[in-house]
Structures are given as structure tokens and as C-alpha cells.
Amino acid sequence: MKHAGSLLLVGMVLGVALQLQQRTLWPAGVYAGLLVLAVACGLLAAGHRHRLAWLASGWLLAGVLGGAGSTGLRAVVFAAQALDPALEGVTLMVTGRVAAMPTSTPQGVRFEFEVEEALHDRRVVSLPPRLLLGWYHRPLHARPDAGVQAPGLAGPPLPVVVAGDRWRLAVRLKRPHGLSNPHGFDRERWLWEQGLGATGSVRTGPRDPAPQRLSATGWH
């Protein structure tokens, strides 16, 4: 029994690796079935603790099935929450909470946002539960004498965005995308790993509803 945990861990690593090789996802019920089989294998191995072959194969198989089942089920659930293509590039009103420490950049601030409610034309729509938003300074207008866009930023300072605060924001979103570079950073995979179902920007134009800070929360 002292090696059961090691065998289970090795099996889970193998199971996760096998699931990640899948080109397409199976239905959620298949992955749930793998988890049930994993429990059954674990119980079988525990019931034959005095038989080394049963013990080793049972715990190893339980780990493989559990690793593949849990990874696949998480992927199916996340994929089902993907942004509707019809909602890409349109202005949405989202209410929710700043879910992590914001990151300041020369262009503005970037932060994760946990959605509570989303509206499009006053109609409730479904969005991924977690977004990566950028709130940017407005660029300066083009200089008429130079014919090029002037460097620098314009407009009033951005509000202070604090983790845990609730906001109502006008945003435009798009599905995660990244550059196809096998030797570089895979941004799309990173967004998937972080559970960020869409990226976008806060809209602050003259025709957009003004952002509203609703309250601070206990997550502050």
C-alpha cells in the first residue's frame, strides 16, 4: 500500500498526457465514465492489497483513467462556455468583479474579469465566465501638419482598478487567438490554461455608456 500513491500519481500523469494527444474531444459522458472506472479500479486494487500484480495494475490504471477523465471533462466544460461568434466585435454591457491583481502597462491597465451578467441590446446573453480585459488610454489624433498619428496618449486618467471591485462596463470581445509559432509563447494555450474564455477592451467612446464602479467586495 505504501507504493499506491506513487502508482496513482504516475498513472494520472500518463492519463493527462494521453488525453492531451486527442485531436477532438469526446462527449462529456465518456469522460465521466472514465472517472467512474477509475474509482472502480481503485476499489478493486484496495480489495486485493495482498496481490502485488493486482495492486500495481489497479492503482496505475485508476490513475490513467482518472487523469484522462478529469482533464477531458474540464476541457469539454470549458469549450461549452466559448464565446458565441455572433457576439464578437459588438458592444456588450457586462457586470462583474475584477478577479485578480490588475497589470499596468504604458497603454493602460489589463485585468481578469469574472462575469455576473451580460447584456446585448438590453437582452441577456451568455458569455465565458472569465474574461481578460484591457482598459486603454485614448491615442492622440493625427496631426494635420504631419499627416501621421502623434505619439503619446490623450484623455483623462484612467480610474484606479482594484482587485475585488465590482464594475459595469461596456466592452467588445473576441475569442482567444495566438500566433502559430512552435518555438514561441503560445498565448492561446495560456489563456485556455488560465480559464480565460475571451479577451477584449473596455469601451469609453463618446457614444458608449460610462463605466460604473458599483462597489468593493470581500475579495478585495
Side-chain angles (χ1 to χ4, degrees):
M1 286 295 291
K2 65 180 181 180
H3 300 299
S6 298
L7 291 168
L8 185 66
L9 181 59
V10 169
M12 290 190 69
V13 172
L14 290 174
V16 171
L18 288 173
Q19 194 283 323
L20 292 177
Q21 305 309 310
Q22 288 188 284
R23 298 182 66 87
T24 58
L25 293 173
W26 293 336
V30 176
Y31 294 115
L34 293 181
L35 294 177
V36 173
L37 289 175
V39 174
C41 287
L43 293 175
L44 187 63
H48 293 79
R49 66 186 66 179
H50 301 300
R51 299 182 182 181
L52 184 59
W54 279 92
L55 180 67
S57 60
W59 285 116
L60 187 63
L61 185 57
V64 171
L65 294 172
S70 59
T71 305
L73 190 60
R74 178 180 181 271
V76 169
V77 171
F78 186 77
Q81 298 170 341
L83 179 66
D84 185 345
L87 298 179
E88 283 194 293
V90 301
T91 300
L92 307 169
M93 291 301 303
V94 296
T95 301
R97 174 174 57 85
V98 180
M101 293 291 292
T103 302
S104 296
T105 69
Q107 294 77 31
V109 63
R110 186 174 58 200
F111 55 95
E112 296 179 18
F113 194 74
E114 195 164 288
V115 178
E116 298 173 359
E117 183 185 60
L119 301 175
H120 179 228
D121 291 335
R122 301 183 180 180
R123 175 177 55 89
V124 176
V125 294
S126 178
L127 295 182
R130 204 173 181 96
L131 313 172
L132 180 62
L133 298 178
W135 195 336
Y136 303 114
H137 299 281
R138 297 183 200 170
L140 291 174
H141 296 292
R143 292 185 310 220
D145 59 333
V148 297
Q149 183 159 322
L153 303 168
L158 297 180
V160 177
V161 179
V162 178
D165 282 1
R166 293 181 67 247
W167 284 84
R168 181 176 292 117
L169 304 168
V171 301
R172 286 190 182 177
L173 303 176
K174 62 180 179 180
R175 287 172 291 177
H177 297 289
L179 297 176
S180 179
N181 185 352
H183 303 292
F185 175 65
D186 191 336
R187 185 170 184 269
E188 187 171 346
R189 185 177 69 177
W190 179 82
L191 291 168
W192 176 280
E193 291 170 347
Q194 301 302 311
L196 298 167
T199 63
S201 59
V202 178
R203 307 293 296 178
T204 57
R207 298 184 179 180
D208 297 309
Q212 290 181 276
R213 182 182 178 275
L214 302 178
S215 65
T217 70
W219 289 97
H220 173 78

